[in-house]
Amino acid sequence: MSLAWFNGLLIAWSAIALISFGSLWWKPAPYGRYFEPGWGRALDARWGWILMESPAVLVLPFWFVISERTANPIAQVFVLLWLVHYIHRAWIYPFRKQAGRPMPLGLALCAVAFNLVNGGFNGGWLFHLSPAHPPDWLSRPQFLIGVAVFAGGFAINVQADTVLIRLRRKSPHYRTPEGGLFRWISCPNYLGEIVEWCGWAILTWSWAGLSFAVWTAANLVPRAVAHHRFYGTHIEGYPASRKAILPFVF
Ligand code: NDP
């Protein structure tokens, strides 16, 4: 594929994220607390997560393996970081969380399509189309700052998800999460995820990475706002000072 085509498709893909943002603002994706019958066949949420996220584990490494950069340590580090996130998300997280409410099959298939395309853009760019990163990339500021942001986001995400998993184990009801960034915001797990992919955009220094960060924010900011509203209306005494996703701001 030519670079012009790739860039054109990436711009179109990023524009779809903005449309998705608008529609999710209006109606949250129908899984978890927003699940309702009427979305067609549904499957167990645990298997839904495995189905949705497994393609992401495989797609970027696929583009790596068929590239000419398999011996390049920078490319290897990119794959490793990607796998740290996605092996956790696809094959560890679903077994840590409770099975929970069902998930519409159609939604899971949309997420499969997203992961195929997103993994294709990132893998296609990093291992095939991009000019090779300079040999000292792993010691450059963009990479080091990006890795720190990525790791920080991952830690925030996993810590917050752990709080929620424990709450869910204790009770089938939604309770007020406490501790960590929950002191200031309703959805630190989503904030952590967005921070993580901002870190990826920085450490790869790529438009494909930035597009992924934009997509993540487009999915998760409206969902955080919906969760925040949900807590305000369903949990008596929910801390009024908490913001939705950005401490002290929003
Ligand atoms: P939620 O916060 O909605 O739910 C996570 C788990 O915690 C669920 O099992 C949920 O139960 C439970 N839970 C949540 N809040 C409470 C509460 N107050 N009391 C008790 N239990 C609670 O997260 P998502 O399911 O939307 O996302 C899970 C992970 O996937 C997150 O880390 C998120 O960042 C990531 N993700 C990433 C996306 C991306 O675009 N990169 C898109 C979507 C998610 P129940 O299922 O019953 O609600």
Side-chain angles (χ1 to χ4, degrees), residues 130-141:
S130 67
H133 285 76
D136 64 345
W137 184 253
L138 300 184
S139 58
R140 289 211 178 179

Side-chain angles (χ1 to χ4, degrees), residues 31 33 89 93 157 161 174-175 189-190 193 227 231:
Y31 70 92
R33 71 194 69 184
R89 173 66 67 236
Y93 174 74
N157 175 264
D161 273 341
Y174 290 96
R175 310 257 181 211
N189 52 343
Y190 295 163
E193 183 99 21
H227 276 22
Y231 286 134

